[in-house]
Amino acid sequence: EAGVTQFPSHSVIEKGQTVTLRCDPISGHDNLYWYRRVMGKEIKFLLHFVKESKQDESGMPNNRFLAERTGGTYSTLKVQPAELEDSGVYFCASSQLANHETQYFGPGTRLLVL
Amino acid sequence: SQQGEEDPQALSIQEGENATMNCSYKTSINNLQWYRQNSGRGLVHLILIRSNEREKHSGRLRVTLDTSKKSSSLLITASRAADTASYFCATAPYNNNDMRFGAGTRLTVKP
């Protein structure tokens, strides 16, 4: 069974540009989560989808970040316009059930904003 | 406030020795999970311990949970060079489904 996949693995962009990250969860997992780890800091929750609906987006830092999960399968996280402080590793995770079940993480996308 | 704070921040041991990492948290939790991250790779789930459990084992891993002290420990016995990685604890609060991670402990096992 394929795990959670993320694309791209690395992205280097200039401040002001737009970047779109993609996450493909494990097939059949209704729950999809985005996290990010800014350089040297802890991993922080961004948001949680249940199928195509945003269950909790309390961790989204500001309105430059837009997450979608049309059709309830893969998800995209768009940063527009990107700022220097957005640099970090963006992780996606999925789980079959919510309610604190184990989440399976993807390899992450390393974003560098210059 | 940050949930799930690990200590030490870095730990260096010789192969064959045991490694102990600690995690403290602030709010009531449903469960606590430990993850490993090898350099440049994603997070790998190691073990989950529920709030009503005190100890759990998985292979060379032993996790304890003390809810009265709001702390957990991860013990890796007979460490191997391949155990070199960053280890994170993550807590799942009762009131929501997202997890809170600490900054991690960087473990280096020297061959």
Side-chain angles (χ1 to χ4, degrees):
Chain A
E1 178 184 299
V4 177
T5 58
Q6 292 186 245
F7 181 84
S9 59
H10 294 78
S11 180
V12 181
I13 60 173
E14 292 185 334
K15 175 183 172 181
Q17 289 185 319
T18 297
V19 63
T20 300
L21 313 181
R22 173 171 169 145
C23 168
D24 286 77
I26 293 173
S27 178
H29 282 193
D30 286 343
N31 294 274
L32 187 149
Y33 307 80
W34 283 98
Y35 296 84
R36 76 170 177 178
R37 187 183 188 198
V38 174
M39 189 82 72
K41 296 192 175 181
E42 71 275 15
I43 300 166
K44 284 195 172 179
F45 166 81
L46 295 178
L47 87 160
H48 169 208
F49 281 101
V50 177
K51 295 185 181 179
E52 68 275 8
S53 300
K54 292 175 185 174
Q55 181 78 5
D56 179 355
E57 53 183 329
S58 61
M60 295 286 265
N62 51 61
N63 59 10
R64 294 185 294 103
F65 288 75
L66 175 64
E68 294 180 320
R69 194 184 181 195
T70 306
T73 53
Y74 71 90
S75 174
T76 58
L77 178 65
K78 181 192 289 188
V79 185
Q80 178 182 33
E83 297 289 343
L84 300 179
E85 63 265 25
D86 300 332
S87 296
V89 183
Y90 289 77
F91 291 103
C92 173
S94 73
S95 66
Q96 190 166 22
L97 302 173
N99 298 324
H100 318 297
E101 188 181 286
T102 298
Q103 296 177 17
Y104 297 89
F105 281 77
T109 292
R110 281 142 191 83
L111 174 65
L112 179 60
V113 183
L114 302 175
Chain B
S1 60
Q2 179 176 316
Q3 184 86 322
E5 299 184 25
E6 295 93 337
D7 82 270
Q9 291 186 334
L11 179 62
S12 182
I13 59 174
Q14 292 295 134
E15 204 165 30
E17 293 181 336
N18 296 340
T20 299
M21 289 160 272
N22 302 297
C23 168
S24 60
Y25 57 92
K26 294 183 172 64
T27 62
S28 296
I29 61 170
N30 182 285
N31 65 54
L32 185 145
Q33 303 179 40
W34 284 91
Y35 287 81
R36 182 186 72 225
Q37 184 186 23
N38 291 87
S39 182
R41 316 254 324 245
L43 291 160
V44 175
H45 182 259
L46 295 177
I47 199 164
L48 180 154
I49 185 165
R50 301 195 185 281
S51 60
N52 61 352
E53 297 176 311
R54 292 295 167 259
E55 188 171 314
K56 207 160 182 180
H57 297 252
S58 177
R60 294 185 295 112
L61 306 180
R62 173 178 167 252
V63 168
T64 63
L65 179 64
D66 187 335
T67 53
S68 66
K69 294 180 180 178
K70 290 185 168 60
S71 67
S72 172
S73 67
L74 170 67
L75 168 67
I76 303 174
T77 60
S79 64
R80 305 166 183 168
D83 294 330
T84 294
S86 290
Y87 291 81
F88 297 89
C89 72
T91 53
Y94 274 109
N95 59 348
N96 58 48
N97 288 318
D98 49 83
M99 292 194 294
R100 303 285 186 256
F101 288 82
T105 292
R106 175 70 191 167
L107 172 67
T108 302
V109 181
K110 301 173 188 174

